[in-house]
Amino acid sequence: MATTSKSKVGTSLSPVVVFLLGAASATAVLIFFVTSAARPAWPALEAGAQRRGEVPGSASVRCGTPRANGAAGAEQHVGVTAPPANETGADDDGESEFARMLRRAAMEDRTVIMTSVNEAWAAPGSLLDSFLESFRVGENVSHFVKHIVVVAMDEGAFRRCRAVHPHCHLLLPEKEGLDLSGAKSYMTKDYLDLVWSKLKLQQRILELGYNLLFTDVDVAWFRNPLVHITMAADITTSSDFYFGDPDDLGNFPNTGFIHFKSTPRNARAMAYWHAARRRFPENHDQFVFNEIKRELAGELGVRIRFIDAATVSGFCQLGRDLNRIATVHMTCCIGLENKLFDLERVVADWKRYMAHPLWERRMGKIGWTFEGGRCIH
């Protein structure tokens, strides 16, 4: 009888033990997976991204071939990645000296302002000095100077830039032995090489994830021009001739003041633009952009918007109301001496305008004088 009772008790306990052992095993497996998922899978990469100022998991601009199920239209074009544009001094994370400079210069929204100079334009008393002076005498624009990257096209320009500005990058010409230091005559071969050499670097800036506002160095900044740029457009450009509709591709662009939003589409557009030089070998970048603007819009899906020349202005179609002027570009003006002569007078007129009391300026009766101007009167 006693033996029978013990047998029944042992038989009844066996399922309980099995159940408890199974539950414990399942719990252990669950804890293992939960703790593994809580840790970054690649802690070294995560830390490297944080050191570079990137947001872990954020999208970066890449220009490889899109997957077959990607977006239609422009996103179906095979992208072209620009080679590193004279980038040197990579650190342990592989970040180049140029990339570090962009990070230091960028605004909070990752916008970088870029201009380019050669030795003649950067010399004391030349265009670079007048360009920087316009920020000092302009209305609430002095803070933009710290966001400007000056691209030097030769060693002389680089030395001069470093003497007057914190963010300078030396961009050596692609063609060995090419001298870009002097005052180049308009539309000569050296002039064309000079103006085209900056496009690959601009493409590289977009690929690094920065919005780019390029401004020629013969542009005077008097008010904030970014208020005239919409992020709804891929490319926003100033106009030599503006006909009233910012979306009209019939407007004539001036690529000496142009904004690119950092997108894969724009990186491809930049590569497309540079490649189009082969179709128009005797022309500068602005002429080619005007020729291909409809191709960029139609084939690549790029939205191009034009700024009213009454605000972001130039000598081709000069805004006469100084209460609206944001920038003035020495357009339709040939020759370094002529550009510099009139740029100095534009700055002098602005100073005269700002010397008047606000109530008098608002009346709109103070205009340009251009005393002795060579390009426009």
Side-chain angles (χ1 to χ4, degrees), residues 133-343:
E133 183 187 8
S134 73
F135 289 90
R136 292 191 293 269
V137 303
E139 196 170 43
N140 300 320
V141 291
S142 61
H143 64 283
F144 285 119
V145 173
K146 65 185 178 184
H147 301 300
I148 300 172
V149 171
V150 177
V151 176
M153 314 302 293
D154 56 78
E155 296 280 358
F158 185 60
R159 287 192 298 271
R160 168 64 177 157
C161 176
R162 294 186 69 179
V164 299
H165 190 67
H167 308 306
C168 305
H169 175 69
L170 176 61
L171 179 66
L172 297 175
E174 295 179 5
K175 188 180 298 184
E176 187 175 353
L178 182 63
D179 180 13
L180 300 178
S181 62
K184 306 301 179 186
S185 298
Y186 184 67
M187 293 305 293
T188 61
K189 186 178 184 303
D190 283 352
Y191 173 87
L192 294 176
D193 287 335
L194 180 64
V195 298
W196 277 103
S197 59
K198 64 182 183 285
L199 281 190
K200 284 188 177 180
L201 186 63
Q202 292 175 345
Q203 180 183 343
R204 183 63 178 154
I205 292 172
L206 298 181
E207 291 169 352
L208 288 171
Y210 294 93
N211 306 311
L212 172 65
L213 174 55
F214 178 81
T215 171
D216 276 343
V217 75
D218 62 339
V219 176
W221 284 51
F222 296 132
R223 291 190 180 92
N224 180 7
L226 275 70
V227 299
H228 304 291
I229 294 172
T230 172
M231 294 305 286
D234 296 300
I235 299 174
T236 304
T237 178
S238 62
S239 311
D240 270 349
F241 298 99
Y242 178 80
F243 302 116
D245 181 358
D247 297 311
D248 181 8
L249 291 175
N251 295 312
F252 285 84
N254 187 293
T255 57
F257 188 97
I258 188 168
H259 179 272
F260 300 92
K261 191 166 58 174
S262 177
T263 62
R265 181 186 292 114
N266 264 350
R268 285 192 290 276
M270 191 72 74
Y272 189 96
W273 183 9
H274 194 278
R277 182 185 184 185
R278 293 192 295 268
R279 292 155 52 191
F280 308 94
E282 305 299 324
N283 288 283
H284 53 70
D285 56 337
Q286 179 175 301
F287 175 89
V288 175
F289 182 85
N290 188 57
E291 290 295 311
I292 67 169
K293 60 189 177 185
R294 288 180 171 80
E295 297 171 26
L296 295 175
E299 296 180 24
L300 273 68
V302 176
R303 184 183 177 191
I304 303 172
R305 193 171 178 88
F306 297 82
I307 309 175
D308 190 342
T311 54
V312 175
S313 197
F315 282 173
C316 291
Q317 188 181 6
L318 183 63
R320 297 290 176 174
D321 185 354
L322 270 68
N323 290 321
R324 296 185 62 195
I325 287 290
T327 63
V328 180
H329 193 176
M330 308 301 107
T331 55
C332 293
C333 184
I334 297 174
L336 172 59
E337 291 186 1
N338 294 332
K339 285 178 177 286
L340 180 58
F341 191 88
D342 278 16
L343 179 55

